[in-house]
Amino acid sequence: MIRGTTESIRRMIRSETFPTPFCSGCGHGILMGAILRAIDELEWDLDRMVFVSGIGCGGWIPSPHFAADTLHVTHGRPIAFATGVKTFNPDLNVVVIGGDGDIASIGGNHLIHAARRDLDITVICANNLIYGMTGGQLTPTTPEGAYTSTTPQGNPERPFDLCKLVAAAGATYVARYSVYHVRPLIKVLKAALQHKGFGFVEVLSSCPTQYGHRNDLATPVQMLHGFKETCVTSKRAKKMTEDELEGKVIIGEFVG
Ligand SMILES: Cc1ncc(C[n+]2csc(CCOP(=O)(O)OP(=O)(O)O)c2C)c(N)n1
Ligand SMILES: [Mg+2]
């Protein structure tokens, strides 16, 4: 098997599950491809991996698409289930993939305590800034002022910076990129998978259907362009003033 080819990626997908349930322009498909490419480049055996996801569009990324053992569990509880899987089977590579609601809203407490324990799992948060699957309600990561189905006059709340949150809680590998930044994203996914301890990757993902069309980013291209404009690397951010950083999202490897 030659790695990095369409064939080597296809063997990791249950073909009967395609096409995916994602809307056109959804970034979760790009993230799905990046995760599979990371595993392919590492030459890891899917039989030694378990993927755990909760309810939400982000939860569809591994389940039922990955040709591996997948647990599709209660909304907000994938890290709790993953804790059990890893504790009982310490030799398996356990990967949680879920949305910002799943991981950081209803599942927020599991997130910080798994980070505090430095549990040896990888958590990939597909952050589309919204509850995508249930109609576009705000989440703890929705930017201040953003329009959602439950904040028609703009979000009055301050969002979590998930990377700062898990780093403060004790995570030993932390990184963030968007689905626009595919090559560096694959690189940090590989690092997080290989990391011994709690590895966290936040991935800004596009949701033109529920988020974009309410926030002047109605097309898939506008959403990706938005990530290109909004994201600044941690290296560049160091040279920017607080005013210049207003409204920007810092990307890169923060811990590890
Ligand atoms: C215990 C429980 N609470 C609420 C719901 C309803 N629910 C299902 S998915 C979801 C939010 C999905 O948002 P997110 O996790 O960000 O994933 P996305 O669809 O945006 O990828 C909610 C509130 C549920 N299924 N179970
Ligand atoms: Mg979401």
Side-chain angles (χ1 to χ4, degrees), residues 36 46 56 73 76 85 97 103 105 168 177 185 194 220 238 242:
L36 292 176
L46 281 186
V73 304
V85 174
I97 305 171
I103 301 285
S105 184
Y177 277 102
L185 173 61
Q194 288 178 293
K238 284 196 185 97
E242 224 166 88

Side-chain angles (χ1 to χ4, degrees), residues 146-170:
Y147 297 101
T148 74
S149 62
T150 43
T151 57
Q153 294 178 2
N155 178 18
E157 298 180 356
R158 290 178 304 170
F160 268 146
D161 179 325
L162 293 185
C163 289
K164 282 188 180 159
L165 181 74
V166 294

Side-chain angles (χ1 to χ4, degrees), residues 28 56-58 75 98-102 125-133 137 139 141 205 207:
H28 290 3
C57 302
H75 183 53
D100 42 327
D102 202 24
C125 181
N127 180 8
N128 56 7
L129 313 168
I130 208 105
Y131 289 164
M133 202 182 83
Q137 299 88 349
T139 71
T141 59
S205 184
C207 179

Side-chain angles (χ1 to χ4, degrees), residues 16-64:
E16 70 275 17
T17 64
F18 269 60
T20 70
F22 304 135
C23 305
S24 58
C26 175
H28 290 3
I30 302 176
L31 175 55
M32 178 196 276
I35 295 167
L36 292 176
R37 282 178 181 85
I39 295 166
D40 185 53
E41 286 178 21
L42 289 173
E43 302 192 12
W44 276 15
D45 182 358
L46 281 186
D47 286 345
R48 304 303 304 156
M49 301 186 77
V50 177
F51 296 89
V52 190
S53 61
I55 306 303
C57 302
W60 294 112
I61 293 174
S63 162

